Amino acid sequence: MSKRPLTVHAAAALEAAEGLAALGFGLYVGVETLIGDPQDPATAIGVTALALAGGAGMLACARGLLRAEPWSRAPTVLTQLFALPIAWSLWQSEQYLIGVPLGVVAVLALVTALAPPSTAWLVHDETGELDEADEDGEDGGAAGTGSADERPRSDA
């Protein structure tokens, strides 16, 4: 399996879009904190730091998905599971322009990240068989540390 599945491209693109949005929000709050007069500077600084770190993490996960890094799927799924209640809260507060797109992106990212072709891309080696550690149920103390050469990758 040398060709990257469409589901992986979609999951990575959706995760990257959320990462860029988080970075943009973090930058906006940071600039507003510096040039404005925030009611609670500590909270504004905390929101800025979390948004910037979260956005950078989401971009790293998107890159990891494209590079067939097995670690990248769990945080990708987790960010979508966090996004769903946020989208619902925005919907309930009648902020549809933010809540609806966030909910749609979260559902699509979950579906594409958990799709069978994505799983095969992230779990199977180039021969299409499970790694030996997965087959034997043993990890030999190095779970998830398969070398980069064992994973199907396409640098294109």
Side-chain angles (χ1 to χ4, degrees), residues 99-118:
V100 171
L102 178 60
V104 169
V105 167
V107 168
L108 290 174
L110 275 172
V111 168
T112 56
L114 296 173
S118 296

Side-chain angles (χ1 to χ4, degrees), residues 14-114:
L14 293 165
E15 183 76 0
E18 287 178 317
L20 291 172
L23 284 175
F25 178 70
L27 289 172
Y28 173 77
V29 172
V31 169
E32 286 295 312
T33 300
L34 289 173
I35 65 173
D37 186 23
Q39 280 185 319
D40 186 359
T43 299
I45 292 168
V47 167
T48 299
L50 284 174
L52 293 175
M58 286 185 264
L59 290 174
C61 287
R63 183 172 186 245
L65 288 172
L66 293 174
R67 294 175 48 98
E69 299 290 344
W71 63 265
S72 62
R73 187 165 72 165
T76 297
V77 169
L78 193 59
T79 57
Q80 305 319 312
L81 293 176
F82 284 136
L84 287 172
I86 294 169
W88 181 251
S89 176
L90 290 166
W91 174 270
Q92 289 182 321
S93 63
E94 299 179 2
Q95 295 186 20
Y96 306 118
L97 290 176
I98 301 170
V100 171
L102 178 60
V104 169
V105 167
V107 168
L108 290 174
L110 275 172
V111 168
T112 56
L114 296 173

Side-chain angles (χ1 to χ4, degrees), residues 1-2 4 63-71 121-127 131 142-155:
M1 179 186 315
S2 61
R4 191 178 306 129
R63 183 172 186 245
L65 288 172
L66 293 174
R67 294 175 48 98
E69 299 290 344
W71 63 265
W121 172 254
L122 294 167
V123 176
H124 293 78
D125 66 10
E126 290 179 5
T127 64
D131 292 336
T145 59
S147 74
D149 295 329
E150 294 174 346
R151 300 286 173 214
R153 295 217 175 129
S154 173
D155 294 329

